[in-house]
Amino acid sequence: MSNLALYPVGLFFVLSAAHFARSRIDSRATARYTCYGTALLGSALLVLAPPTIRAVQGTGVAVLAVPAIVLGDGLRDGAASAIRLLAPALRAADAAAQAGNAEAAGNAARAVHRHEVRGGLALLGAVLGLRLALIAAAAPGLSGEDLTVGPELSARLALAGYTAVGMLHTTVCLVALLRELVRRARAAGPGRLGTGLRLLTGGLVAGLLWNAWSMDDVLRAAATGIQDGPEDTLCAVLGGLCAALIAAGLGSTLWPAAAGAVRGWVHAHRRYRALTPLWRDLHTVLPQIALDPARRLPLPPRDPQFALYRRIIEIHDARLLLRQHCDPRTAQWLDQATRRFPPPCDHAAATAEAAALATALELAASGAVPQAAAPEAVLSAVPGTTATDTMDGEAEHLAHLARVYATCPAVAEVRTRARAERARAASAAGALR
């Protein structure tokens, strides 16, 4: 099971890259290098995991296992180089933020980036070229999960040098970013941002320890001509610690906003579901209110906030259409019903509006023409006269109205009375014909 531990660590970094690719970080360079670094590091861990190397060996072309290890090491070198470029990207972002002239700041930032990127790419190219030359000189084979070379001193030193060059390059890159994060953490002081920066600093320290463990491979290769090919269990532990600290550092600044977004999503979804019984009855009688007629499946909305807004609009449209179907006898029927089923005081207004909706729906469903009444009598029975200033207030009001509409016994009795009156009128009309 310990051999599988690198997979969740690698997947964490790959998924983090996907997050940063969609992030709204002010500095595009910062987001880009963060994305590159996490994607390359996660890919390297997935390639260098022992089960991956064993799977390559099991393909019948065992000679591909050594190039797979070299590929994983190269991906890790690329990740280290991208991490190193984060430091000047952060400094350039600070300079752009502090400058009053955005254009001048942008030009200065681009100049810094060009210089740093050229230097970083030159260093990465030199490291990759040197490591390829050393691994070619060593010409290792694979015994189990270990890289092995012949007993010659040159082969052993070449294998040790291959690992040492990668370790030193990664150390230089991590230290460059570590110094920048330490400076920022000191400037930030106590608080959420400072805590996040200190946790990120701890993650980089864990990464340095993780990288320093390669010294064991250097010494072992120089002495015996054998070194671990894929990552071992201790690397998985240090990698997990590094990932956990980085996640905690990011989370200390991102979790409050993320938690607020999740709470907003849940709140909007609950309100959306609360409006469903009322909306369903309205839509059954007035299908033209649907702004998205193609949506038929009762699936949760992908964007409940937008779906809630659309549902509120649809209910408002239905209430406007039902104005012409208001029955002036609703007040009388409701008065009789509330004598039997008195609603709570805070439900009185919602009960009156829900009863008006119920009778108007029955009249609209039957296609009957409402009885003539004085304008003030009709207006008193018009549903939807309660107004609110915000969408949240309107959603809360409609959710309360929907609950009363679906559960209030007085509203149910008014609905039954209206249905009976419609049936009686239809029977009388049929008898006259």
Side-chain angles (χ1 to χ4, degrees):
M1 292 299 295
S2 61
N3 288 337
L4 298 176
L6 281 173
Y7 284 117
V9 179
L11 286 174
F12 166 79
F13 286 113
V14 170
L15 293 176
S16 297
H19 165 73
F20 285 116
R22 301 176 57 189
S23 66
R24 298 294 185 269
I25 298 176
D26 292 338
S27 170
R28 293 182 180 179
T30 302
R32 183 167 62 251
Y33 297 139
T34 304
C35 179
Y36 291 163
T38 51
L40 290 171
L41 181 56
S43 301
L45 294 178
L46 295 177
V47 171
L48 292 174
T52 302
I53 301 303
R54 286 197 295 269
V56 173
Q57 288 178 293
T59 59
V61 190
V63 70
L64 294 177
V66 174
I69 294 174
V70 174
L71 172 63
D73 291 337
L75 291 172
R76 190 161 52 182
D77 291 335
S81 184
I83 289 172
R84 176 178 176 271
L85 291 176
L86 267 175
L90 289 170
R91 290 194 295 270
D94 287 344
Q98 294 172 2
N101 190 328
E103 183 177 357
N107 292 333
R110 281 191 291 271
V112 171
H113 288 161
R114 281 195 296 270
H115 175 73
E116 293 289 345
V117 168
R118 287 171 185 168
L121 290 178
L123 178 61
L124 177 61
V127 168
L128 291 177
L130 181 57
R131 295 194 80 187
L132 286 174
L134 288 170
I135 199 68
L142 200 62
S143 176
E145 295 180 356
D146 295 330
L147 288 173
T148 60
V149 296
E152 299 84 3
L153 178 62
S154 60
R156 287 185 279 124
L157 291 179
L159 182 59
Y162 168 80
T163 305
V165 169
M167 183 189 70
L168 290 175
H169 173 249
T170 301
T171 300
V172 169
C173 294
L174 291 179
V175 167
L177 181 57
L178 182 62
R179 291 174 59 187
E180 183 64 23
L181 288 182
V182 168
R183 182 185 67 81
R184 285 170 167 261
R186 288 175 178 172
R192 185 186 303 161
L193 178 60
T195 300
L197 289 171
R198 281 184 280 275
L199 288 171
L200 289 173
T201 301
L204 283 182
V205 171
L208 283 171
L209 294 175
W210 180 10
N211 180 62
W213 181 243
S214 298
M215 182 57 68
D216 174 71
D217 289 335
V218 174
L219 298 177
R220 187 181 175 199
T224 65
I226 301 173
Q227 76 167 44
D228 294 332
E231 299 281 11
D232 55 21
T233 302
L234 182 59
C235 288
V237 172
L238 292 174
L241 177 62
C242 177
L245 288 172
I246 290 175
L250 294 173
S252 66
T253 55
L254 297 180
W255 277 128
V262 170
R263 284 195 300 268
W265 188 94
V266 172
H267 199 45
H269 184 71
R270 290 179 61 184
R271 285 177 169 174
Y272 176 85
R273 301 301 301 174
L275 298 182
T276 297
L278 175 60
W279 178 88
R280 186 185 297 118
D281 285 0
L282 295 172
H283 180 261
T284 300
V285 178
L286 304 168
Q288 65 269 31
I289 65 172
L291 298 177
D292 185 12
R295 184 176 176 86
R296 290 286 184 266
L297 296 177
L299 299 176
R302 286 178 295 181
D303 186 353
Q305 195 72 26
F306 176 75
L308 174 64
Y309 180 64
R310 184 175 60 194
R311 179 151 289 186
I312 289 173
I313 293 175
E314 292 171 346
I315 292 176
H316 270 301
D317 290 344
R319 294 158 88 189
L320 291 174
L321 291 173
L322 289 175
R323 285 175 178 265
Q324 60 181 323
H325 295 285
C326 287
D327 195 318
R329 296 172 293 178
T330 301
Q332 177 185 354
W333 295 338
L334 181 61
D335 182 62
Q336 296 172 0
T338 52
R339 291 176 186 175
R340 294 184 57 195
F341 307 103
C345 294
D346 56 343
H347 287 190
T351 302
E353 188 174 355
L357 277 174
T359 55
L361 271 175
E362 289 297 329
L363 193 61
S366 67
V369 178
Q371 299 178 7
E376 59 273 12
V378 176
L379 289 175
S380 65
V382 169
T385 54
T386 304
T388 53
D389 296 332
T390 64
M391 192 188 80
D392 285 343
E394 185 63 23
E396 190 64 33
H397 166 68
L398 289 180
H400 179 57
L401 176 63
R403 285 191 296 270
V404 173
Y405 174 85
T407 61
C408 180
V411 174
E413 182 163 329
V414 170
R415 184 187 298 112
T416 302
R417 181 70 178 272
R419 192 171 297 166
E421 291 292 334
R422 298 287 86 75
R424 186 178 302 109
S427 299
L432 289 176
R433 287 196 298 270

